[in-house]
Amino acid sequence: MDERARKTDVKLQGLARHLVADVNQKRNPSIAIPLRSLANVSFNERRKILELGDQKQARILFNVGMARKFMQTFLLGSACKELLEQGKTTSIRDLYYIAKHTLGDTRQNTFEEQDESDPIIEDLEVTIDALREELNLFASNKGAMVGPLTIVDSGDTIDLRRMGSGGWSVPSIVEENIVELKKSEAQFVLLVEKDAVWRRFNEDKFWQKHRCVLIHGGGQPPRGVRRMLRRLTTELKIPLYVLVDNDPWGFYIYSVVKQGSINLAYESVRMAVPQARFVGLSSFDQEKYDLPDNVTMKLKDEDERRAKQMLAYPWFQRKEWQRELQYMLKRGKKLELEALSNKRISFITEEYLPRKLKEGEGKGWLV
Amino acid sequence: MISKTISSKKDSGSKSRSKGNGGRQLSLLEQVAPARPAPARRAEPAPAPTRRDDTARQSGAVRHRLHEEPRTPEAEAPAAAAPLLATAAPPPRSKRRATAESMAAQQREISVAEFFTKNRHLLGFDNPAKALLTTVKEAVDNALDAAEEAGILPSVLVEIHEINEERYLVVVQDNGPGIVYKQVPKVFGKLLYGSKFHRLRQSRGQQGIGISAAGMYGQLTTGKPVAILSRTAAGRTAHYFEITIDTRKNQAIPVKDEIREDWPGVDHGTRVEIELSGTYKGGRRSVDEYLEEVAIANPHVRLVYQPPRGKEQRVFERVTDELPREPQQIKPHPRGVELGMLMKILKESKARTLSAALKEDFSRVTSKVAGEICAAAMVAPNTRIRDLSGAEIERLYSAIPKVKILAPPTACVVPIGEELVRRGLEKEIRADFYTSCTRPPTVYRGNPFAIEAGLAYGGELLGKAEDDDETFGPRESGQFGPIQLLRFANRVPLQYQQSACAIFKAVAETNFRQYGLSQPRGGLPQGPMVLFVHIASVWVPFTSESKEAVAHYPEIIKEIKLALRECGRKLSVFLHHRERARNQEKRRSIFELYIGELVESVHKLTPVDRRKLQQQLLGLASKFTGQQEEEEALEVGGVKPDRKAKGKTDRNGDANGNGGDGEEG
Ligand SMILES: Nc1ncnc2c1ncn2[C@@H]1O[C@H](COP(=O)(O)OP(=O)(O)OP(=O)(O)O)[C@@H](O)[C@H]1O
Ligand SMILES: [Mg+2]
């Protein structure tokens, strides 16, 4: 076990010691799990990130509603310890299979579905204050990256200028011990919401022309991509621009990248990029870019609901955002990035984004 | 009580219904319109009995005839025969077809016996299986009545011998007081001859038809006489009779009449043998079931039963050596008599004056009450009985409801008793829970009665119900069929016409859902349960002579409901407790299941003494399971993730517009 693993292992052992102590004192064994819900998340105005509060929830062994989860928490804890001991990493799906077995001679399993084990992993992370990576867990790769820089991934040096059409697939664990950032000429990082738009940018060699790191997260960016964004911006000291659709979902992606998510608020510190800037489609862009009405889409009920919720979030209180969201609701329309192709196939890379970037520098960003 | 002079048909057109047989008659009318309070109806003209279904009406009408017959002693037969005939076959209007003269030639007396042969269904001989049951039942009822009346703990032997599949010999032998020599032919050979009809006293038999009807049925279907062996005391000789019945004359013809010097092993008792055509079957409404129920309601009786077809003998031992308290005979209560009965009682009174007769022949009539009745009727209290006119008696009859009279004494009814009801159930049914309730006696239409109820729940009934409707696996109450309802009247099981019975009505109208059973609207509750209801009364108001269903008197129904409610409450307490214990058990076993896993995981995380930790956790499990009484597990099986907690996260997830921070692929 390396130093990192040992640290995590100690934390896991603490869980077991705590239980033994409870038992010896004839207490109903319990685990205190930080609450991962809106109620326990606050927006730190100074650091501009979402932070987990200190509300905790007791998970009690001798309670019919909690006993099973209690047992599962320990089961996953011990499975992670084994991973650490063997120096192996695995996917959370794999872990589900590793820990799944039948209980005694019943027809019950320790876990019935992966849906049951995933939240327990998050519980475990917050409870022992260890990151998923530190538990040697990863998720499947989602997201790709190209740009004028060189990295070292698990000992292999990779030139991100030579990644062909698909780009370098961003792993879910991008900690320094696995991925190192080497020589870079990048001036900024561009996060594109989806794969299809990213391809357009790659094909048009936008990153070459504008000297930027081009990255996408396949929708809501996974931890690996978010962690990478954080590292790129802090280590290379370059800005991050976020290019998303004009709909509440796109805005939310931007906000997660910028200040973190409610569910993973405990990871904001190492994943959020408060300086991120919005270069996505605005509700006012249809007129500005003279886009026909037939490329817009009606806001769905779900979109409306989400937009209204966002209006209330503390981190969306700047008047520009309020105006943006209110106008979106008023129009009742949304616009995808692809709609820009209605003008010209490379309109987005050749006109739209350069103009946005220039405007931003001039008039100020929508942040 | 059998009237010599009242001819009800003549009166039926007049302003009051003087159909005699007070309670009996009324019972039918109650059934027609049970909602009306009985006393108020007395002075009303007879309502046209058209409101119920035809069968009820018919049986009512016929029943009349049956009952009028006995009021006509042999000598006076023709007098009653005429009105009887008038209803039975009203003279046709058409002049062409018959004349009064031609009809006169056909008009003659119909004997009860003859009538019975044509209407045997009225007495419970409608089909071969029922005929066998009714025969056993009449003989057993009599045996028990006789022994109890003589203060003897009853021991009864019942044998059924199969002669062929359609013919059986029924033998019932008791250890009762026996029957004196000269009475035997009348008792067994004459319909409507008995010792119980003329008095108000709680007994099984009440009409004087039972055993002779069984005998007659046997004779009609097999041609064989009824055989009786009886002995009244150890020193006396026994006598053996074989009796046939002259159905025309309603008379016994002894075909054999022998003195038996000895009856080895039997000091006193009666043995009756009747051969009849019938069929033997097991199951519901069988002789077997009847005897099982007799054993439940008569815990002081020892029964030995030899079924046919070489089946094993069954012995129902008594659970108590105490005879039920002797029921007291009471005088009729003024509120319980019909006009005809009032006339009969007054005419037959040994008293000289009206007020004396009222005091002596009725219960709860003091000089003051008698005076008030006379005053209200505007008849002088000192009127001599023989001078009373019909109109005066009618006025007296109408006056009774206006006078305050104490309810009759109720000590004359003898219920089985709460404890014995429970023990009776315990003896015959292996259940998980028993309870019972005996209500204090009260009165319907001047007749004292008492209701008791009991129930047995769970145990072998779970399995039984399973066989019945062929469903498997663990079951909720609703997965069982209807409960088994056992009805009793004066300790006699009632097996037929359940849905016509006041007991059924009271059960169906009681909400058993509040006690933890399921119940379809207006039906019996469902579940692994036997429900016992007994009515004890000096006069049980049956809906017909076959004594199968109790008439719908509101007072009776109300009492039954009260008794059911009390039992229901106790049942629900039991079910609640059991549910709680079960949940605890379930919880503990879940915990035990998880503890094993937990200990292994803990050990992997940090080495521990697994045995010790396991023991400690198990100890804590039982310590903490008791504390969770109130908490109902949402998902006890834990197959799905805890909904409560999940819902919470989901809600918050939604609230934050984040349909899933799906950061993992
Ligand atoms: N086993 C017996 N021992 C002594 N007396 C008997 C026995 N069986 C019948 N008796 C007498 O014979 C009478 C007639 O019996 P029967 O069954 O015909 O009428 P019941 O019992 O009075 O009324 P019900 O028609 O309601 O049965 C009884 O009233 C009783 O006095
Ligand atoms: Mg009888």
Side-chain angles (χ1 to χ4, degrees), chain B residues 138-139 141-143 145-147 174 176-179 187-188 190 193-197 204-213 270 272 547:
Chain B
E138 294 300 345
D141 288 357
N142 284 353
D145 270 351
D174 63 55
I179 306 167
V187 163
F188 291 93
K190 200 169 171 58
Y193 189 93
S195 56
K196 307 165 199 168
F197 189 82
R204 292 172 183 77
Q206 52 190 32
Q207 307 174 124
I209 309 178
I211 199 62
S212 20
T270 304
V272 181
K547 301 191 279 188

Side-chain angles (χ1 to χ4, degrees), chain B residues 236-302:
Chain B
R236 312 233 175 104
T237 54
H239 35 269
Y240 176 78
F241 277 97
E242 282 182 15
I243 291 166
T244 58
I245 301 161
D246 179 341
T247 52
R248 288 295 286 286
K249 293 191 182 138
N250 187 21
Q251 257 174 22
I253 308 169
V255 290
K256 225 179 222 170
D257 170 357
E258 302 169 358
I259 299 292
R260 296 267 168 93
E261 285 307 326
D262 194 21
W263 186 359
V266 180
D267 289 349
H268 50 81
T270 304
R271 178 183 173 96
V272 181
E273 294 184 12
I274 298 173
E275 194 172 322
L276 70 152
S277 93
T279 44
Y280 170 82
K281 61 177 182 74
R284 286 275 156 101
R285 297 171 173 180
S286 62
V287 173
D288 302 29
E289 189 194 67
Y290 166 76
L291 292 174
E292 285 160 14
E293 293 183 18
V294 166
I296 293 175
N298 299 272
H300 62 293
V301 170
R302 181 171 192 271

Side-chain angles (χ1 to χ4, degrees), chain B residues 449-467:
Chain B
F449 74 102
I451 294 294
E452 44 202 340
L455 62 82
Y457 183 93
E460 66 172 11
L461 300 171
L462 292 160
K464 253 191 200 165
E466 212 154 46
D467 297 342

